[in-house]
Amino acid sequence: MNELLLTGDERDRAGARLLALLDSYERGLPKAEILPEPDRDVLASLLAAPMPERGVGVDALFDRWEDTILPNSTAVAHPRFLAYVLGPPNGIAPYAEAVAAALNQNCNFWQLSPAASVVERSVLEWLASVVGFPAQAKGILTGGGSLATLQALATALNDRVPDFHANGLQRASAPLVVYTSVEAHRSVDKAAAILGIGLDNVRHIATDSVHRMDVGALRAAIEEDRADGLRPWCVVATCGTVSTGSVDPLDDIADLCAAEDLWLHVDGAYGALFLLSEEMRGLMGGCARADSITLDPHKLLYASLEAGCLLVRDGAKLRDAHAFDSSYLTVAEDPLMTDYMDYGPQLSRNFKAFKVWSALQAFGVSAFREANVRTLGLARRLGEGIEATPGLTLLAPVTLTAVCFAVDGASDDDHTALLERLAAENVALLGPVVVAGRRGIRACVTNHRTSEADIDLVLEWLQSRLTGRR
Ligand SMILES: Cc1ncc(COP(=O)(O)O)c(C=O)c1O
């Protein structure tokens, strides 16, 4: 007998309990508490309880999940979960995750994962076509947008610093400088710090009146750094800033990068997959001119966590930065299947592409396009409702699905209290924001489950609070 396997009866039981759990979770979502108050005693007991010497078995384990884990988990799939940029998983995700765990393909080299390698390649080639990258582009699925940007900057270093793998930055003649905007995600700073660029060499360029990188200021900063003997190296533009959803002027920035011979990375973790919708192509078409781009299938493709993506226009550069020889991992290259260990820092890798590919197969690209169109429309509806409400002020134009607003005359504490009340009354979970120094509230409709009725409920609640205040 093998203690680590389930018997036939236990498999039946586990299957039935799993189906029942998923079904009741799905049915319960609309009425679920979005942000349940964590039961600290239960959580502390999870920590204090010693690992059992003898296992509790299938039924008791499911009971434990239902009693301790589920009630203390945030309902990110609730239709009025409108905080951060966190999409609820699409409907096929739990099933695809289960099959991926059963297959447990190691997506490092192709003999350990032949079908997985082709599935990842097919997802990456499709994503590259959405962005408008050329055929020689290559990429890799990552643990998220932050890791994709880290890998992008590592690739840019390897491309621009002679003998980077041998010397690192130790022999660089002058400090390298990376430019991004004051609205950029902190993952850009993190990547620069981790890679040894140093935060003092990250320029946070001012933005214009609608929170897009000011290209004149970028040009001036590059000139000043060159005059000071520094080495401008890379620009990280943002397609969909985390606070307001603004899109940097990508074409102008690409022109400047070409003239100055700088690597252009686009952080499209939040916004670039809006390229699926026709109406966004004009605004974001410049993504196609980047040297590399971050995308996040765990946002707008509603893949379950984690699924980020890096694409590099000249795929050979991604490989040059990450391929290392070793005597124990010699794999003959195959024209069909890719060895993803040569495209990223990981050796053992899970089969992230499966859930992304499965959702595209199950629902079709049009379903994701329609979800984009719907969420963009819902954000506009919320923005218009806020503009039409005396006492509320929109803090930024609604470019994508982020809606930032403030209550006139409210202090920071008032805004915090409002957010807490919205959550406590289970109306919605929204988040805080600071726009051009002004604190307020941010709703982000990156949620395929949100309906017009949900948006109207939030608006009506806000309006009734304002009337109550007067
Ligand atoms: C613009 C932007 N960049 C990067 C990230 C980080 O992505 P991840 O959480 O997948 O690491 C986010 C997350 O919201 C984002 O909005």
Side-chain angles (χ1 to χ4, degrees), residues 85 143-147 185 187 238 240-242 267 269-270 296 298-299:
V85 194
S146 306
L147 286 177
H185 192 264
S187 53
T238 309
T241 56
V242 63
D267 176 3
Y270 169 23
D296 249 356
H298 65 207
K299 295 188 168 73

Side-chain angles (χ1 to χ4, degrees), residues 59-407:
D59 269 308
L61 178 64
F62 271 86
D63 291 345
R64 212 161 273 193
W65 289 351
E66 287 172 0
D67 294 345
T68 60
I69 308 296
L70 270 67
N72 289 294
S73 294
T74 306
V76 299
H78 187 284
R80 290 188 302 282
F81 181 95
L82 302 171
Y84 314 105
V85 194
L86 177 54
N90 59 62
I92 204 73
Y95 305 92
E97 292 276 31
V99 174
L103 298 178
N104 204 32
Q105 297 295 279
N106 198 339
C107 302
N108 48 9
F109 53 90
W110 67 263
Q111 278 104 338
L112 298 188
S113 48
S117 175
V118 173
V119 164
E120 181 156 358
R121 188 172 161 189
S122 123
V123 166
L124 292 166
E125 288 184 3
W126 174 72
L127 288 168
S129 74
V130 172
V131 168
F133 266 15
Q136 73 269 25
K138 293 259 189 259
I140 186 162
L141 293 188
T142 65
S146 306
L147 286 177
T149 293
L150 179 71
Q151 248 193 274
L153 296 197
T155 305
L157 278 177
N158 189 58
D159 185 55
R160 298 300 167 100
V161 177
D163 293 323
F164 178 64
H165 281 168
N167 300 321
L169 294 173
Q170 310 284 20
R171 296 210 191 146
S173 51
L176 298 166
V177 185
V178 54
Y179 304 82
T180 194
S181 93
V182 291
E183 292 292 324
H185 192 264
R186 67 175 186 170
S187 53
V188 180
D189 282 355
K190 255 195 183 184
I194 290 168
L195 291 169
I197 301 302
L199 290 177
D200 285 353
N201 300 310
V202 182
R203 302 280 175 268
H204 296 100
I205 304 297
T207 47
D208 63 15
S209 61
V210 285
H211 316 292
R212 308 172 319 157
M213 194 191 289
D214 177 337
V215 183
L218 173 62
R219 185 177 294 107
I222 293 169
E223 277 168 17
E224 196 180 320
D225 283 330
R226 283 205 201 283
D228 288 346
L230 304 180
R231 195 174 154 204
W233 154 66
C234 174
V235 175
V236 180
T238 309
C239 178
T241 56
V242 63
S243 295
T244 69
S246 60
V247 176
D248 286 340
L250 300 172
D251 272 312
D252 293 347
I253 294 173
D255 288 344
L256 186 58
C257 286
E260 296 282 345
D261 193 26
L262 303 184
W263 183 282
L264 172 58
H265 178 68
V266 171
D267 176 3
Y270 169 23
L273 279 166
F274 281 110
L275 275 166
L276 283 172
S277 357
E278 191 71 41
E279 62 168 316
M280 287 294 158
R281 304 249 169 90
L283 183 67
M284 311 183 162
C287 284
R289 297 179 60 195
D291 291 295
S292 54
I293 184 164
T294 290
L295 308 167
D296 249 356
H298 65 207
K299 295 188 168 73
L300 296 185
L301 294 183
Y302 301 106
S304 45
L305 294 166
E306 305 161 348
C309 173
L310 169 66
L311 295 172
V312 178
R313 156 184 295 282
D314 180 350
K317 293 185 175 177
L318 179 63
R319 192 174 189 285
D320 285 349
H322 294 95
F324 283 71
D325 288 336
S326 57
S327 57
Y328 50 88
L329 286 173
T330 44
V331 190
E333 275 188 43
D334 187 278
L336 179 62
M337 291 165 284
T338 303
D339 300 321
Y340 283 99
M341 65 181 178
D342 292 338
Y343 289 83
Q346 279 181 273
L347 182 56
S348 294
R349 296 176 67 240
N350 68 0
F351 190 4
K352 288 182 175 49
F354 189 54
K355 59 195 170 191
V356 180
W357 179 84
S358 298
L360 288 163
Q361 297 292 319
F363 304 119
V365 175
S366 65
F368 293 97
R369 187 177 301 118
E370 278 155 28
N372 269 359
V373 171
R374 199 167 60 243
T375 53
L376 287 165
L378 290 173
R380 267 176 226 138
R381 183 182 184 92
L382 181 57
E384 283 159 14
I386 283 163
E387 274 192 309
T389 303
L392 294 180
T393 298
L394 212 49
L395 295 181
V398 180
T399 309
L400 302 178
T401 51
V403 184
C404 303
F405 62 97
V407 178

